[in-house]
Amino acid sequence: MSKPDDSDKAENGGPSAIEQYLVKDPERFALNMARMIEQAGKAASAWTEPREKGEVRDHVAEPVVDMVKTFSKLSEYWLGDPQRALEAQTRLFAGYMTVWANAIQKVNPNAEAPQDAVQPERGDKRFQDPEWGRNAFFDFLKQAYLVTSRWANELVEHAEGLDEHTRHKASFYVKQVSNAIAPSNFILTNPELFRETMASNGENLVRGMKMLAEDIAAGRGDLKLRQADYTPFEIGKNIATTPGKVIGRSDVAEIIQYDPATETVLKRPLLICPPWINKFYILDLNPQKSFIRWAIEQGHTVFVISWINPDERHGAKGWEAYIREGLQFGLDMVEKATGEKEVNAIGYCVGGTLLGAALALLAQEGDHRIKSATFFTTQVDFTYAGDLKVFVDEDQVAAVERSMSEKGYLDGTKMATAFNMLRSGDLIWPYVVNNYMRGKEPLPFDLLYWNSDSTRMAAANHSFYLRNCYLENNLSRGVMELAGRKVSLADITIPVYNLATKEDHIAPALSVFLGSQFFGGDVEYVMAGSGHIAGVVNPPAARKYQYWTGGKPVGDFNAWLAAAHEHPGSWWTHWQHWIENQDDIRVPARKPGKRMKTLGDAPGSYVKVRV
């Protein structure tokens, strides 16, 4: 190749546009490719060894089969009519022709810059490098990809005769495939990755493959994608540090009582029932973000259920066990520690769903210790459940149950992967590119440390949840069976504070709104800004987001929202006023251990068990 002339030189005096994509040191590059292959062998060994020993059994075929079935139903519509098929192909071909014409025009130095056939969606960070628009080759790849992915989405949107569940799944799978095949994910088709690889003579790939081998080994044969540098964090040291004591321990839960921060406290203690799908310390990440610490500072005597990270011993523990040995056990410990029989309770996500079912059961049994209930992003009706519903139909639930029957639990990595797939464009592919192709360690981030601290699911518990909630919607229909009784949400007549978040993809605001109608008492429905985590963990001092309040949560959700009043900042202070309106009597502060023996310091031992 001839030497580039001066016109090819970059404006800043650096390498020319051509030189950026050439190997600088062939000998060093070849050596690094050999080192990369060596690390790839270690990655392959980390993947195959657990399978050869029988420690890991793959169930990859089952979700792939479901995706193929879903796409087959989609194809039946478009291929069932030759005219429809021709129109679909023509739309795609027309898009490609526009991309091709633009590419030809861009290489012509005398032509005006053409308008792109399609623009990335607002907020899409994959194509920010200038070369995606300046370089004809990369611009062609970008536009061809965007045209194809948008066309595929339109096939789903415009397919008639699909039931809503199939359409939901098809849209989800198209999104996953589109995110996976993006040119930004590959060395040769991403200008930034290409330049970095050439500039470092492939050392980025050596580092990336080493990290890949480490992450497969950490996942015991499955990829445990690292989303942050986890080394700076330690539970009880700089995560979950609010002072307190473990005052009770059952087979499924530890009960934590926190130290007071005020001289007087509300007479009614506060019991928090977090989800067992994640660990409770999302509510106690650090002193600045901790809802638990903030609630203590407002005068609550706070108790938290810290769920066991289950193993084969807990396979038969179902929802009744989690109610008796978790929530009801927590009420017993609160009463023993404080002498109080009136309690305020909070349930978060599936912890809230359990709380709702438990309240309905306890109402029938005459246990009325919980006097107010607060639900954080909780579904009790699953008609309009979020994207997790994609994974729930009879075939998929049966496959999960077969997998759980082998060990008595579902591996935590399976649930973590499912949650990450809901936002794969944010939680999977950016880290694949950064870690394994750029070879860069992710930065420390406490929220992502918590996100990676996955938990297993006890088989009976998880099966009951999938079938009774997502698959059959039994709780809101009044046919869920617990302890030999059919429980009804209408029996819950205590005041309810029902918090939704606007951008929630797990418990959509519409779903939470509709669930409000099933309770038998007054419901204060509040919608916060942001999503499932950030919308809940939003301390007032941060001055972020907003929340909406309005009339009773009845009728049309959009009509309610249009008439609702928007408030700047955090909903936490609004909730505190609501709680005090229920009962604002105060008593001297209560210290853990004054009335009973304690079992150790917060955050306890159950939360420290990792998978």
Side-chain angles (χ1 to χ4, degrees):
M1 178 179 289
S2 61
K3 182 179 179 180
D5 60 31
D6 291 340
S7 64
D8 293 321
K9 292 293 183 182
E11 292 182 6
N12 61 4
S16 71
I18 295 176
E19 289 175 335
Q20 293 179 90
Y21 301 105
L22 299 179
V23 174
K24 306 298 184 295
D25 185 339
E27 184 176 347
R28 188 176 171 190
F29 185 83
L31 177 61
N32 282 331
M33 291 304 98
R35 293 171 59 202
M36 182 193 73
I37 293 172
E38 179 184 359
Q39 293 296 332
K42 294 180 180 178
S45 176
W47 187 85
T48 57
E49 186 176 348
R51 287 160 176 80
E52 291 173 349
K53 294 179 178 179
E55 297 171 355
V56 173
R57 291 184 61 184
D58 286 316
H59 299 275
V60 175
E62 289 160 349
V64 171
V65 166
D66 185 72
M67 183 172 68
V68 171
K69 286 180 180 178
T70 302
F71 284 159
S72 295
K73 292 179 181 178
L74 182 64
S75 300
E76 285 175 8
Y77 172 78
W78 290 105
L79 299 179
D81 183 332
Q83 182 63 30
R84 276 201 300 264
L86 178 61
E87 290 174 358
Q89 292 171 13
T90 300
R91 286 198 302 272
L92 181 61
F93 182 70
Y96 285 159
M97 289 302 295
T98 303
V99 172
W100 181 251
N102 286 351
I104 293 175
Q105 197 170 347
K106 281 205 169 187
V107 297
N108 183 352
N110 299 319
E112 291 186 13
Q115 186 174 359
D116 287 349
V118 61
Q119 293 286 343
E121 292 184 7
R122 187 176 180 180
D124 189 341
K125 300 178 181 179
R126 295 174 295 179
F127 305 107
Q128 292 182 330
D129 190 277
E131 287 289 278
W132 285 112
R134 189 167 55 200
N135 185 293
F137 171 71
F138 293 116
D139 180 65
F140 177 83
L141 290 176
K142 177 192 73 175
Q143 290 196 59
Y145 163 74
L146 292 173
V147 164
T148 306
S149 58
R150 186 159 299 182
W151 173 80
N153 282 324
E154 289 174 351
L155 290 184
V156 178
E157 291 175 10
H158 299 148
E160 299 175 4
L162 290 181
D163 63 90
E164 283 307 307
H165 184 57
T166 300
R167 189 186 303 277
H168 192 180
K169 289 201 297 182
S171 177
F172 179 81
Y173 288 140
V174 163
K175 183 178 180 181
Q176 299 309 312
V177 173
S178 295
N179 285 342
I181 66 172
S184 55
N185 293 338
F186 304 98
I187 298 290
L188 298 179
T189 56
N190 182 327
E192 190 173 6
L193 290 176
F194 203 147
R195 292 196 307 269
E196 289 185 15
T197 302
M198 295 301 102
S200 70
N201 291 298
E203 288 184 4
N204 57 314
L205 301 182
V206 179
R207 296 192 302 268
M209 198 57 65
K210 180 175 182 293
M211 290 171 65
L212 178 64
E214 292 170 352
D215 290 354
I216 294 175
R220 299 183 183 90
D222 290 321
L223 177 61
K224 189 175 178 65
L225 180 67
R226 72 178 85 178
Q227 297 171 319
D229 177 8
Y230 307 137
T231 55
F233 303 110
E234 183 179 349
I235 295 173
K237 297 293 184 182
N238 55 6
I239 291 276
T241 59
T242 300
K245 299 290 184 181
V246 177
I247 63 166
R249 182 178 293 122
S250 71
D251 282 346
V252 302
E254 288 183 331
I255 309 302
I256 302 168
Q257 179 184 356
Y258 289 95
D259 294 346
T262 54
E263 292 185 3
T264 63
V265 294
L266 290 168
K267 188 172 186 294
R268 287 184 184 174
L270 177 65
L271 176 63
I272 300 176
C273 180
W276 55 85
I277 289 175
N278 301 109
K279 293 184 178 178
F280 82 87
Y281 65 87
I282 185 60
L283 296 174
D284 191 28
L285 277 177
N286 61 49
Q288 291 72 42
K289 297 177 184 176
S290 174
F291 175 82
I292 290 172
R293 186 180 291 260
W294 181 86
I296 292 167
E297 292 169 351
Q298 310 314 304
H300 292 274
T301 306
V302 177
F303 296 79
V304 170
I305 299 170
S306 175
W307 299 107
I308 189 76
N309 201 338
D311 53 36
E312 59 276 358
R313 298 169 298 169
H314 305 91
K317 299 281 188 181
W319 268 40
E320 186 180 349
Y322 271 62
I323 290 172
R324 303 300 191 199
E325 301 172 41
L327 187 60
Q328 215 165 9
F329 175 66
L331 290 172
D332 293 341
M333 292 298 102
V334 170
E335 186 175 347
K336 189 174 180 181
T338 66
E340 297 294 337
K341 293 188 177 182
E342 294 190 358
V343 176
N344 296 315
I346 293 176
Y348 192 172
C349 189
V350 66
T353 311
L354 181 80
L355 174 61
L359 285 169
L361 173 63
L362 298 182
Q364 290 191 26
E365 295 180 339
D367 186 340
H368 301 293
R369 285 177 288 180
I370 296 177
K371 295 301 181 182
S372 80
T374 298
F375 297 100
F376 295 169
T377 59
T378 292
Q379 296 180 106
V380 293
D381 177 78
F382 289 75
T383 304
Y384 297 101
D387 285 343
L388 282 175
K389 204 169 184 179
V390 166
F391 301 109
V392 183
D393 52 41
E394 182 56 45
D395 289 344
Q396 293 187 89
V397 171
V400 170
E401 289 172 336
R402 286 194 297 271
S403 174
M404 292 191 297
S405 67
E406 297 171 8
K407 298 179 178 179
Y409 59 85
L410 182 70
D411 283 319
T413 53
K414 300 293 191 298
M415 280 301 300
T417 299
F419 277 107
N420 286 339
M421 285 179 68
L422 300 183
R423 293 174 54 206
S424 60
D426 296 321
L427 295 177
I428 295 179
W429 295 108
Y431 297 100
V432 169
V433 170
N434 181 78
N435 300 358
Y436 309 135
M437 297 183 192
R438 301 183 72 185
K440 292 187 176 181
E441 287 272 2
L443 298 174
F445 190 14
D446 52 10
L447 178 60
L448 290 176
Y449 173 86
W450 166 84
N451 190 56
S452 72
D453 194 4
S454 53
T455 56
R456 295 178 286 257
M457 303 294 115
N461 182 321
H462 200 51
S463 177
F464 186 94
Y465 177 49
L466 293 178
R467 289 194 172 277
N468 279 271
C469 295
Y470 278 96
L471 195 59
E472 299 170 5
N473 204 14
N474 288 337
L475 181 56
S476 64
R477 294 195 301 119
V479 294
M480 177 183 280
E481 293 191 12
L482 287 167
R485 300 171 182 264
K486 287 186 178 180
V487 298
S488 172
L489 294 171
D491 291 334
I492 302 173
T493 58
I494 59 175
V496 166
Y497 189 99
N498 209 10
L499 177 77
T501 53
K502 187 177 182 181
E503 300 169 15
D504 201 332
H505 55 282
I506 295 172
L510 170 62
S511 184
V512 177
F513 180 86
L514 293 179
S516 299
Q517 67 182 293
F518 296 99
F519 295 109
D522 291 335
V523 177
E524 178 83 10
Y525 177 84
V526 177
M527 187 180 75
S530 196
H532 194 72
I533 301 299
V536 174
V537 184
N538 182 28
R543 300 179 183 274
K544 293 175 66 175
Y545 312 127
Q546 68 283 98
Y547 64 95
W548 290 263
T549 59
K552 290 184 178 296
V554 295
D556 180 71
F557 170 66
N558 291 323
W560 181 93
L561 184 57
H565 182 62
E566 181 178 341
H567 310 265
S570 174
W571 57 270
W572 289 14
T573 52
H574 180 267
W575 170 82
Q576 178 67 16
H577 291 318
W578 181 86
I579 281 286
E580 290 178 347
N581 283 337
Q582 311 309 313
D583 190 333
D584 62 356
I585 298 174
R586 296 200 171 227
V587 298
R590 310 155 172 130
K591 292 197 69 174
K594 189 173 182 180
R595 297 170 60 103
M596 59 191 299
K597 184 180 179 181
T598 61
L599 305 177
D601 292 330
S605 58
Y606 281 4
V607 73
K608 295 180 181 179
V609 177
R610 296 182 68 90
V611 299

